[in-house]
Amino acid sequence: MSIASHLFQSIFHPSEITALVKYKFFKPKATVKIRLEQKQKIRCYEFLDKTSRSFAAVIKELDDDVRDAVCIFYLVLRGLDTIEDDMSISIEKKEPLLRSFHEILSQKGWTFTKSGPLEKDRQLLVEFDIVIDEFLSLRKEFRDIIADIAKEMGNGMADYAKNAAHNKYGVQNNEEYDKYCYYVAGLVGVGLTCLFAESGLENPELVKDTELSIHMGLFLQKTNIIRDYLEDLLDGRKFWPKEIWSNYVEDFSDLKESGYETEALNCLSAIILNALHHAPECLNYLNKLHNRSVFSFCAIPQVMAIATLALMFRNYDTFQKVVKIRRGESTKLLLKCTNIHEVANIFREYSRVIIRKNDPKDPNFMKISVACGKIEKWCAVNLPVTDIYPYSTTIKGDLFNQETDILLFIGFGLLALTAYLLYYYNWEHFSFDELKISNIFDA
Ligand code: D61
Ligand code: MG
C-alpha cells in the first residue's frame, strides 16, 4: 500500500496523519553501514527485509555492537521456522532436520532446496550457506547463544511436529499452549536477553530473570495466534487451545460460522484474557532495560501487540479476515516508544479501550476487568503522579482535544498546496490526469 492510502485510512485521525508525515519525511532512517565488499552481509540484511517487515525495521535500529548478531539470530530462527511450517516436508525428513539445525549452523555450504514452492521464505534456505558464513563470523559468545536457542527450539518444534494428536486435533490445553509458545517465541526472548547482556548493552542480571524474557515472547506469539485464526484454520492448524474454545463451540471451525457470533466473541474474550496476563510482566521487563536502542527494539513489538489485542477484542472481523491496526496508528505508536513512561501509558490506554468494549453479558467480563486493572495498577505503582491522567487523551476522542490544532494545520497546509498547484498548472489548462494524488505523496 502506498503512503497515500495509509494517509487516507487515517483521514479521521489527524494525529496519525502527523505521525505518518513525520515518519516519512523527518525521521532519520537507520543506516546499516556495510562495506561494499561484504556481499554476504548485504545479502543477509536483504533477507531480513524480505522475511520480516516488522522486525527488520527495529533490528536495523539496534546499536552496532549487537545488530549483526540479532539479524543472524532472526535469520537462523526464520530458517528453522520455515522448515517447521512446511507441510510438504514429511515428518521423517522434518524431525531430524529440526533436531539437528543447531549443528547445521557450522556446516559451511549447507543449503536446502526442498521447501514447498509456495513457502514464502524458501529462498532463505536456498541461500542458507550465506547465513551460515555470517553466523560463523560472529564471536563465539554470540554463536553459542544462537546455537543453544536453535537446539532447544528445534527439539521443541520436532516434538510437536511428530505428535499425531497435535497435528490432528491441535493444541489441547492451556499448558500445552504455553509450552508451544515457549518453544517458538519464549526462547527468542531468552536468547535476545542473553545477546543484550553479552554485548554489554544491558545488565547481565536480566538474564537471571528468565521468566520475564519468556513473557515477552508469549505475549507476541499469542497475539499472532489469535489474529491468525482464519489463516491457520485454512492451513489445517489449530493453535487456540481446546480447553478455551470447547467452552463455546463443539468444533473449532464453528467460530467463524454464522449463528455462532455470540459464542465466537465470548471465546475471543477468553483467549485475549489469557494473553493479557502477560502484559504486566512485559512492562516489568521493559522497565529493567537501560539502553535506548534495545528499549525501542523490545517495546515496539509489544505496543503493537496490545494495540492489536484491543482492536480484536469483541470484534467479529477477527473470524473473517486478518485484523490489522492502521499504518497511521502503528506509526504513531512507533514514534512514541522512547521510554517506559510512554510505553506504560500506551498499555494503559489500550487496556481502557478494552474496558470500554467489555460487555457485562460476556462470561469473562469480571476477569477482563481484573486483568486490565492489573495494567492500571502497574502504572499507578511505577509511573510518577504527573503521568497519571484521569482519562485517555490520545487514542479515542482525539478530534476534540489538542489535535484540533493539528487538523487545522493540515487543512491549511492542503489548502496552500492546492492553491499552489492551481497556480502552477494554470487553472485554464488544468487537467486531472496531470494531478495524481499518489504521485504527490510518493515523491
Ligand atoms: C523483544 C523483542 C522481540 C522479541 C522478543 C523480545 C521476544 C520474542 C520475540 C521477539 C519473538 C516473537 C515471535 C512472534 C512472531 N511469531 C513468529 O514469527 C512465529 O514463528 C516463531 C518461530 C521463529 C521465531 C523467529 C523470530 C521472530 C522474531 C525475532 C527473532 C526470531 C529474532 C530476533 C528478533 C525478533 C510464526 O511465524 C509465522 C511466519 O512465518 O511469519 C509461526 O510460525 O508461528
Ligand atoms: Mg512456525
Side-chain angles (χ1 to χ4, degrees), residues 51-52 55 58-59 70-71 73-75 77-78 80-82 84-85 119-121 153 157 180 183-190 192 196 213-214 216-218 220-221 224-225 228 232 237 239 285 294 297-299 301-302:
T51 57
S52 164
F55 286 112
V58 286
I59 292 175
V70 174
C71 172
F73 185 42
Y74 178 83
L75 294 178
L77 300 185
R78 183 53 64 215
L80 187 63
D81 184 51
T82 304
E84 188 216 17
D85 292 352
E119 218 39 59
K120 63 181 169 38
D121 299 324
M153 188 183 289
M157 284 173 165
Y180 178 76
Y183 283 124
V184 302
L187 280 171
V188 181
V190 175
L192 284 169
F196 301 149
S213 306
I214 297 172
M216 292 285 283
L218 261 59
L220 301 182
Q221 182 67 16
N224 275 14
I225 286 179
D228 296 342
D232 286 337
R237 295 168 200 263
F239 292 116
Y285 180 92
V294 170
F297 166 78
C298 293
Q302 301 294 328

Side-chain angles (χ1 to χ4, degrees), residues 127-158:
E127 295 177 51
F128 207 72
D129 49 337
I130 296 176
V131 178
I132 293 177
D133 284 344
E134 285 306 303
F135 168 78
L136 292 173
S137 76
L138 295 173
R139 63 182 164 92
K140 184 173 183 328
E141 292 81 359
F142 286 152
R143 280 197 322 257
D144 287 348
I145 294 169
I146 297 174
D148 285 352
I149 298 293
K151 182 177 180 185
E152 196 178 344
M153 188 183 289
N155 278 301
M157 284 173 165

